[in-house]
Amino acid sequence: MLSVTNLEVKFGSRAILHGLSLEVPAAECLAIIGPNGSGKTVFLKAMLGLVPYSGEIRWDAGARLGYVPQKVAADLHLPLTCRDLLEAKARYLKRPGVEIEAVAREAELTAELLDTNLGYLSGGQFQKALIAFALLGQPNVLLFDEPTASLDELSEERVYELLHSLQEQSGMTLVLVSHDLSVVYRYADMVLCLSKGQPCMGPPKEILTPAMLEELYAAPSRYYRHQEHAEDVPKRR
Amino acid sequence: MLTSPVYTILLALLFAVAAGLVGSFALMRRMLLAGDVISHLALPGLGVAFLLKINPLVGGAATLLIGTLLVWQLEQATGLVTEAAIGVVFAAALAVGAAVTPREDLIEALFGGLEPLTLAGFLVGLAAELFVIFFVFRFRDRLALALFSADLAAAAGVKVRHLNLYFLLVFSLTVFAGLRFMGALLASALLIVPAATGRQLTNKFSHFLWASSAVSVLAVGGGYALDKLFMKGALPGPAVGIVSAGLFGLSFLKRAAR
């Protein structure tokens, strides 16, 4: 579905990503992990063509991308409701209006939230609005930056169920950026570690080893040492 | 020469609708003041055209276009430099404009009431105004998406950089259409004040566009009437400005009463 060859992204003279090559087959889930500032979000933005890059990023013909950003610097005083936004996207993409109700249901946006101004939504509600926005237009690839950063536990579970069902039932290709290693372990077919050194990639079982994580985050990973009684340990964000 | 006032008033009312629509988006994009600067850039053009004894609107259009491209370039960069640059351009445009405009034409250039309407002038104005209104409706979804998030709009396929340029050009075209009535200093007033008023009246996107346009039309109608009745029909621009500010004041009362 996606093929990246020798990708390089520079901000000024600083190379954020360098010599990155990978393939993501359709209906698979790629998780991107790495410390802050390692270029995870930049990589997603490059895939979407939002930042200039050199090298090649090729999507299969017929790829429709949905994007859920980590945060949106939306102006809280805009007189826009979720519905306004979804309607604007539906009209722009020439999609039928009924799709709005469908994606709202999937993202668990109630009718009341749909008609609330974006500035009045809580962090978690806003996240749901972003998910609904991304799902509108029937994407077959979902790029998801920190899916659960601002959700409470219950909604978090719900988002994972949603991701899972999207992948299982609709054969959606997923690209996740996540700090939540348990999520990565559960969902990812492949894991890409970005760090200051060479990026590494492989199935979760090979990548998520204590030694690897220690090198990646340059700190001992409490989560994985105590893996057998993980519920005692506060969740990593 | 079109001597009947009907043509002028028709043109002024359509300008009001266009200004209300474009002003609404300018307000949401938080570029009202940058827009103000664009409109002031018309002044040096008007001045030079007066000096050369050509149609002042031709000169105004030329410097407006230059100003638009300048602000578009400045928009790409952000931060203090942009604000400072816009401030400098603004001051320079006013100073140069005031210096080159012949004294006897200065009031018209600043506050409107340019030479009588010709058929060509009417048709150009009409085309500009209809185009602006058409643009806002054609592009309103794209504009709304870009307002919310440039990244998300781009991810959905909107060419945001182009859209920004189109919007600035349409903004300038609206100012251009208003120069005849309102002059370089006041043309942007009708882009700013009715939108600010409309925003006080409603928190709904679709209502907002209409509210701004309606307020704008009221301001132009009221201003022309005020000018005719109490100011001998000499200079409608300031009268329109006064009425629009008055309507804004009233909207404030309504909001306070809520």
Side-chain angles (χ1 to χ4, degrees):
Chain A
M1 179 58 83
L2 167 68
S3 130
V4 175
T5 321
N6 218 354
L7 176 70
E8 181 168 271
V9 179
K10 276 185 172 174
F11 285 174
S13 61
R14 207 162 67 91
I16 309 286
L17 297 170
H18 180 71
L20 193 60
S21 298
L22 57 84
E23 304 267 333
V24 182
E28 291 225 332
C29 174
L30 170 74
I32 305 170
I33 63 173
N36 291 333
S38 56
K40 305 183 294 290
T41 298
V42 169
F43 186 28
L44 278 197
K45 288 193 174 183
M47 289 184 208
L48 287 154
L50 301 178
V51 293
Y53 59 85
S54 56
E56 196 186 26
I57 297 179
R58 222 184 50 229
W59 291 98
D60 282 3
R64 290 184 306 279
L65 311 187
Y67 172 44
V68 185
Q70 187 176 359
K71 55 175 186 271
V72 167
D75 184 342
L76 297 183
H77 300 289
L78 285 177
L80 284 173
T81 62
C82 300
R83 193 186 294 279
D84 288 330
L85 207 59
L86 292 171
E87 279 175 353
K89 185 175 177 187
R91 274 196 301 260
Y92 174 62
L93 296 178
K94 301 195 167 52
R95 310 288 310 185
V98 288
E99 234 180 90
I100 292 172
E101 305 300 328
V103 295
R105 242 192 331 275
E106 276 194 284
E108 297 199 320
L109 269 181
T110 59
E112 193 193 338
L113 288 181
L114 263 181
D115 290 316
T116 303
N117 269 25
L118 291 162
Y120 300 149
L121 297 178
S122 74
Q125 292 167 337
F126 194 79
Q127 179 90 351
K128 290 177 179 178
L130 290 180
I131 294 173
F133 186 82
L135 292 177
L136 186 68
Q138 298 198 324
N140 48 15
V141 182
L142 198 60
L143 307 166
F144 211 142
D145 200 348
E146 291 290 356
T148 55
S150 52
L151 298 180
D152 54 40
E153 296 286 322
L154 194 70
S155 322
E156 214 172 275
E157 265 317 300
R158 178 65 198 112
V159 167
Y160 294 135
E161 277 170 31
L162 174 68
L163 288 179
H164 207 64
S165 76
L166 286 174
Q167 207 184 0
E168 297 283 298
Q169 287 160 27
S170 345
M172 181 102 67
T173 308
L174 292 177
V175 180
L176 303 180
V177 166
S178 183
H179 276 117
D180 192 339
L181 297 178
S182 60
V183 172
V184 175
Y185 215 86
R186 261 162 81 188
Y187 292 102
D189 299 297
M190 292 294 264
V191 180
L192 169 70
C193 298
L194 293 174
S195 67
K196 301 279 182 291
Q198 272 300 306
C200 60
M201 187 157 151
K205 284 204 175 77
E206 284 170 28
I207 296 292
L208 300 178
T209 60
M212 198 66 127
L213 291 171
E214 196 160 324
E215 194 193 311
L216 185 63
Y217 290 101
S221 165
R222 292 199 336 194
Y223 177 81
Y224 266 83
R225 284 203 182 144
H226 299 280
Q227 166 156 232
E228 52 286 353
H229 34 98
E231 34 312 353
D232 303 340
V233 181
K235 244 190 191 146
R236 273 190 84 118
R237 293 283 161 112
Chain B
M1 203 72 72
L2 302 174
T3 44
S4 164
V6 174
Y7 294 103
T8 306
I9 289 179
L10 176 69
L11 215 51
L13 290 176
L14 262 180
F15 163 64
V17 174
L21 293 173
V22 172
S24 298
F25 277 103
L27 179 133
M28 290 189 283
R29 293 166 71 97
R30 299 189 172 236
M31 55 156 283
L32 286 181
L33 289 180
D36 215 15
V37 174
I38 294 180
S39 73
H40 292 27
L41 281 166
L43 188 60
L46 292 175
V48 170
F50 275 125
L51 275 184
L52 299 177
K53 306 216 181 300
I54 57 173
N55 188 331
L57 287 178
V58 173
T63 46
L64 265 180
L65 184 64
I66 295 169
T68 308
L69 296 175
L70 199 67
V71 171
W72 182 56
Q73 280 305 317
L74 286 175
E75 262 195 349
Q76 314 292 322
T78 47
L80 190 63
V81 184
T82 315
E83 295 223 335
I86 285 179
V88 171
V89 171
F90 169 61
L94 264 191
V96 172
V100 299
T101 309
R103 190 60 48 91
E104 66 273 19
D105 297 317
L106 192 55
I107 291 291
E108 286 172 18
L110 286 173
F111 302 113
L114 293 180
E115 97 297 1
L117 194 57
T118 60
L119 179 63
F122 175 74
L123 291 178
V124 168
L126 190 68
E129 288 158 356
L130 291 177
F131 179 80
V132 167
I133 295 168
F134 166 79
F135 172 88
V136 171
F137 283 103
R138 186 82 179 74
F139 282 80
R140 59 174 275 186
D141 292 327
R142 269 166 271 201
L143 289 167
L145 293 175
L147 268 178
F148 174 59
S149 157
D151 273 359
L152 284 179
V158 177
K159 295 193 170 44
V160 178
R161 207 175 118 84
H162 290 168
L163 185 69
N164 288 343
L165 177 61
Y166 299 158
F167 184 77
L168 282 175
L169 286 172
V170 162
F171 189 99
S172 302
L173 191 61
T174 316
V175 170
F176 168 75
L179 281 180
R180 171 184 304 283
F181 316 107
M182 307 285 290
L185 269 193
L186 283 173
S188 56
L190 219 53
L191 284 135
I192 296 174
V193 185
T197 313
R199 192 66 188 87
Q200 301 273 14
L201 296 177
T202 175
N203 209 12
K204 280 210 168 90
F205 179 60
S206 50
H207 295 183
F208 173 40
L209 298 184
W210 289 119
S212 305
S213 302
V215 170
S216 186
V217 166
L218 265 180
V220 167
Y224 267 81
L226 180 71
D227 183 52
K228 197 91 194 147
L229 292 176
F230 299 106
M231 294 147 96
K232 297 179 186 155
L235 210 57
V240 171
I242 290 168
V243 174
S244 68
L247 290 171
F248 177 74
L250 288 178
S251 77
F252 223 65
L253 290 180
K254 187 200 170 219
R255 185 145 178 140
R258 242 192 247 164

